[in-house]
Structures are given as structure tokens and as C-alpha cells.
Amino acid sequence: MRHFILPVIIVFIAFSCSKDDNEFPTNPAWLNDRIAQMKDNGIPGMAVYAYQWKDTYYYHIMNPISSCWMCEFYSYDGTLYQFGPADLDDFSQNAKMVKVVWEK
């Protein structure tokens, strides 16, 4: 019986430690360039947040001195997203913030 339990435990541990397929992808080059610019601008409180929404990855660049809430919201490929009235409700109800990419 002992010889049976050890292999079962090893298999269980191996499957428990498998990589999560929903892991957020690495930062695209355009975002790394934008972060480098923000590091040099001297504005405290800047941040970049990664979201998953509508089965797509997005980045929100937060500027604390801007009067616009979601002015810099980009798809993974760097395209600026234009929110419509229904989008804001959907985003607030269904978007998932995955991680903080960068903060100043």
C-alpha cells in the first residue's frame, strides 16, 4: 500500500504546481517605452495597471494630475481604446485588474 501512495502523492503535486494558462503576458515594447518616459517626467503617483476584459488584455496608464479618468486605456497592441457609454458600465462590472505593472 505504501508503494501505491507515494506515486499518487507525486502525481498530485506535479499537477498542482502546473503553470496557470491565464497568466498575463509580458509587457509589450510600446509599454516599456512609455514607462521609461514616465520615469523621467517627474510626476509622482503615475501608475500602469493591467486588466483582462472582454477576453482581451488592456493597460490603464493612471495620471493623477489629469482630469480624465480613463484617457490612457490601451489594448495590448497599443491601440488607444475609446469608451462608449455602455463600455464604462461593462468595464466596471466585468473587468479584472490582473496586476500593477508599474508605480512611481
Side-chain angles (χ1 to χ4, degrees):
M1 182 73 171
R2 276 186 147 162
H3 297 290
F4 175 74
I5 293 174
L6 183 60
V8 170
I9 291 173
I10 291 172
V11 168
F12 178 74
I13 290 172
F15 282 108
S16 298
C17 296
S18 65
K19 182 180 176 190
D20 183 11
D21 291 333
N22 294 327
E23 186 177 311
F24 207 84
T26 59
N27 292 347
W30 70 266
L31 183 62
N32 290 332
D33 293 342
R34 181 72 170 98
I35 290 171
Q37 292 172 354
M38 290 187 296
K39 285 179 181 178
D40 295 335
N41 71 9
I43 300 172
M46 300 275 304
V48 178
Y49 302 101
Y51 286 90
Q52 190 168 10
W53 178 49
K54 296 184 179 181
D55 297 326
T56 307
Y57 300 114
Y58 293 93
Y59 294 98
H60 176 216
I61 298 174
M62 172 71 170
N63 183 344
I65 62 171
S66 175
S67 61
C68 183
W69 176 58
M70 294 293 274
C71 285
E72 290 195 67
F73 190 77
Y74 298 93
S75 63
Y76 184 79
D77 67 2
T79 304
L80 183 64
Y81 189 86
Q82 298 295 320
F83 280 93
D87 288 338
L88 290 174
D89 287 337
D90 186 56
F91 179 80
S92 65
Q93 294 173 6
N94 299 311
K96 176 185 171 191
M97 188 179 85
V98 179
K99 66 179 181 175
V100 177
V101 177
W102 176 81
E103 287 182 312
K104 185 172 186 181

